Each structure stands twice: as structure tokens, then as C-alpha cells.
Amino acid sequence: MALGKSKPLTRDEALVRMAGLCARSEQCASDIARKLRTKGLSSADIASVIDELKERSFLDEARYARSFARDKVRFSAWGRRKIRMHLLSRRIPEHLVVEAFESVGEEDYAAAAARAARQKAASLDLSLSDDRIRLYRHLLLRGFESDVARSEIRRLMTQ
């Protein structure tokens, strides 16, 4: 067998591997489908594996969305807009995205915005208009709403 060429997985082998992956970390159906496509599974087998993972509670889109949102706010200091974009790109339904945001506490969200602003502001001089604009753009790119970005800049300038 040539290097780099591996034997395609069977449906049962794929199910076992993906169940192990889902047991280690939260996954969503679109990520599992993408991984299985790269392993050479047919569309019917991919759908079958995903259905069985959902039946066995290895895959749960709502649980994934809540976990993703909480982790990105707490550990990566992402805002709602960026989280929403990433969840929708993974084909998570809109109503589950809304529920995921409800699971993130306002205190955690405010702390994430403050942390992102403080980290960027450390390398800027907020008395300069250009640096305030840089900070504002940075917060928008992190996914924070414009009113949150403006209030964080005001808060930092009064300190």
C-alpha cells in the first residue's frame, strides 16, 4: 500500500471512532460529517452514523452550541456576533444559537469584553483618536456589539 493512502473506514469503524471523539469533546454534526467525508464514507453512511450518534446522545446540537458559546466567551473573549457567525457556519439552527447566548451570563460576557479591551489597550495610547479607533475595530472584530465596544472604551478612558 502506498504511503499516505489508507483503507477507507467502514460504517461501523467510523461510528466507533466518532463516538470516541464525541466522548472526549463536544462535536457538531457538520464537523463529524466533514471528518467522515475525508475518511471516504458515502453520504448514506455519514447520515447513518450521525443519526446513531444523535440517538445515543453522543451528538447534541443544543449542548454543543451552549458549550461553544460559554467556552468562547470565557477563554477566548469572543463577542456574540463572532460566536453567532461560527455557530451558523456549522449549521447550528438559529433558535439553538439564541439558547446558547442565554446560557452565557451577562457578567461573564461583560468580563470578556473588558478583558479583550484591556489587553488591546495595553499597547495603545487612548488619548489618541487613532488608537481609540484601533481599539474599537479590535473589539468589533472580536465580535462585540458597537455599543459594548464604545462603553468599554469610555470605561478605560475614565480609569
Side-chain angles (χ1 to χ4, degrees):
M1 190 179 293
L3 287 177
K5 298 278 184 173
S6 60
K7 185 176 86 173
L9 288 179
T10 65
R11 181 210 170 277
D12 292 335
E13 290 171 333
L15 178 62
V16 170
R17 282 191 187 182
M18 294 302 113
L21 176 64
C22 291
R24 289 189 302 274
S25 65
E26 287 295 338
Q27 301 291 318
C28 66
S30 65
D31 287 347
I32 295 294
R34 182 179 40 77
K35 287 176 172 100
L36 292 176
R37 270 192 302 279
T38 64
K39 299 292 184 186
L41 260 68
S42 69
S43 295
D45 283 344
I46 291 172
S48 172
V49 167
I50 288 174
D51 288 343
E52 191 159 343
L53 289 172
K54 285 180 179 180
E55 274 179 34
R56 294 180 180 190
S57 296
F58 282 105
L59 272 182
D60 183 339
E61 302 283 297
R63 188 176 64 212
Y64 173 81
R66 286 190 307 270
S67 174
F68 185 89
R70 276 192 315 269
D71 288 352
K72 291 303 179 182
V73 167
R74 287 183 184 155
F75 302 120
S76 301
W78 282 12
R80 287 185 188 104
R81 293 174 52 214
K82 188 169 185 173
I83 293 169
R84 180 178 185 278
M85 180 185 67
H86 279 265
L87 287 173
L88 292 176
S89 75
R90 288 179 167 88
R91 297 185 185 100
I92 303 297
E94 178 71 33
H95 72 278
L96 295 180
V97 174
V98 171
E99 288 176 20
F101 289 145
E102 291 170 0
S103 74
V104 176
E106 285 301 316
E107 305 84 34
D108 287 340
Y109 191 71
R115 189 172 72 245
R118 202 174 39 249
Q119 286 173 344
K120 181 66 176 177
S123 65
L124 301 173
D125 179 2
L126 294 183
S127 65
L128 302 174
S129 174
D130 284 349
D131 282 355
R132 288 192 302 273
I133 292 170
R134 278 190 189 91
L135 177 57
Y136 179 75
R137 286 182 183 153
H138 173 77
L139 292 173
L140 292 182
L141 287 173
R142 295 299 292 246
F144 293 101
E145 300 84 355
S146 61
D147 59 326
V148 172
R150 282 191 303 269
S151 68
E152 283 303 318
I153 293 169
R154 270 189 242 111
R155 188 183 58 77
L156 286 172
M157 290 183 64
T158 59
Q159 287 182 346

